[in-house]
């Protein structure tokens, strides 16, 4: 039973690492960005509401995001643990998550911060824009997303550091190396993958 948060600037590789960690720790990876994108694609009511914020590189309002995550975390597959990728992003979302956890008698095991230099992430996102054509990877929007991260999300790192939960990971380097750094740092805190003894 592992409950993790993955936090870091856009382009730090959260999505990539989330998929790998979910597999290793046998928990669902929940990406609010992915959920929003699929709602936009399917033109749902939520997608219609979220699209303008996403295209501008702004956070979707907390009321929408919190409702979405509350629903998702109630799903049966989250009972045994989860990894949140890209949530919480604001102080209000931290409060929402705290309430959810307290209400269920759950606790987070760790908050993994992917640390990456802003210039490096801008370069990475430029590459992703060319490869995937994500509408919010346009350079001006990327700069704005980094600023939104700095103002709204970075302060949360201190909140979790203050709770003794923060695990800082250098996110620059080959994908495998970053995964290895994360699993090693988590193991040092007594958090290990379910079948790691047999690996
Ligand atoms: P991401 O894939 O995590 O970079 O998210 C893409 C976009 O989805 C963000 O720029 C926001 O517009 C929106 N989004 C994702 N997660 C959140 C969140 N926790 N709170 C508010 N907006 C979010």
């Amino acid at each position: 039973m592992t409950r993790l948060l993955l936090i870091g600037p856009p382009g730090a590789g959260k999505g990539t690492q989330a998929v790998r960690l979910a597999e290793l720790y046998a928990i669902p990876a929940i990406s609010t960005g992915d959920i929003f994108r699929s709602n936009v694609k399917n033109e749902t009511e939520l997608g219609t509401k979220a699209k303008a914020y996403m295209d501008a590189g702004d956070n979707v309002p907390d009321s929408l995001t919190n409702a979405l995550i509350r629903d998702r975390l109630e799903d049966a597959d989250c009972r045994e643990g989860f990894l949140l990728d890209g949530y919480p992003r604001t102080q209000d979302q931290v409060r929402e998550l705290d309430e959810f956890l307290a209400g269920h008698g759950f606790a987070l095991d760790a908050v993994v911060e992917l640390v990456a230099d802003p210039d490096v992430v801008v370069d990475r996102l430029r590459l992703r824009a060319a490869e995937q054509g994500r509408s919010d990877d346009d350079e001006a929007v990327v700069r704005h997303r980094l600023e939104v991260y700095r103002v709204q999300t970075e302060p949360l790192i201190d909140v979790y550091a203050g709770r003794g939960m923060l695990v800082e990971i250098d996110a620059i380097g080959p994908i495998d190396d970053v995964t290895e750094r994360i699993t090693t740092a988590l193991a040092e805190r007594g958090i290990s993958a379910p079948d790691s003894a047999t690996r």
Side-chain angles (χ1 to χ4, degrees):
M1 233 187 262
T2 310
R3 294 187 182 87
L4 301 171
L5 306 186
L6 204 49
I7 198 163
K14 293 189 301 293
T16 305
Q17 295 300 330
V19 171
R20 293 169 152 235
L21 295 171
E23 196 174 320
L24 282 168
Y25 295 89
I27 48 178
I30 301 168
S31 156
T32 39
D34 281 350
I35 299 173
F36 281 131
R37 272 185 293 280
S38 102
N39 275 276
V40 169
K41 195 167 155 224
N42 296 319
E43 299 178 353
T44 67
E45 195 184 332
L46 177 65
T48 310
K49 286 181 182 156
K51 188 174 186 315
Y53 299 99
M54 296 174 73
D55 285 346
D58 283 317
N59 282 335
V60 176
D62 288 328
S63 55
L64 292 178
T65 311
N66 284 337
L68 172 155
I69 210 76
R70 207 180 306 129
D71 270 6
R72 180 63 186 90
L73 289 178
E74 293 290 355
D75 286 349
D77 65 333
C78 293
R79 266 182 228 141
E80 302 299 317
F82 52 76
L83 178 145
L84 290 177
D85 158 18
Y87 184 98
R89 256 173 154 96
T90 65
Q91 302 272 9
D92 192 62
Q93 294 178 18
V94 170
R95 266 191 299 277
E96 177 76 23
L97 181 61
D98 284 345
E99 271 174 33
F100 170 84
L101 293 166
H104 290 72
F106 294 158
L108 292 175
D109 294 292
V111 176
V112 176
E113 182 198 0
L114 292 184
V115 181
D117 183 89
D119 287 336
V120 176
V121 304
V122 169
D123 281 347
R124 279 192 187 178
L125 292 173
R126 198 177 289 135
L127 200 70
R128 187 168 77 185
E131 285 169 3
Q132 300 179 7
R134 242 177 77 167
S135 56
D136 59 352
D137 278 344
D138 165 88
E139 178 133 2
V141 178
V142 163
R143 298 248 171 231
H144 183 63
R145 284 162 65 209
L146 279 168
E147 184 62 12
V148 168
Y149 176 79
R150 199 181 60 75
V151 174
Q152 300 197 28
T153 307
E154 225 166 45
L156 311 185
I157 290 170
D158 282 345
V159 171
Y160 288 114
R163 297 182 188 179
M165 281 181 189
L166 194 70
V167 178
E168 288 171 277
I169 302 291
D170 174 8
I172 305 303
I175 293 171
D176 284 345
D177 291 6
V178 177
T179 307
E180 177 85 29
R181 285 175 207 151
I182 298 171
T183 53
T184 303
L186 290 177
E188 279 165 9
R189 296 173 66 95
I191 304 162
S192 32
D195 60 347
S196 57
T198 59
R199 247 173 244 274

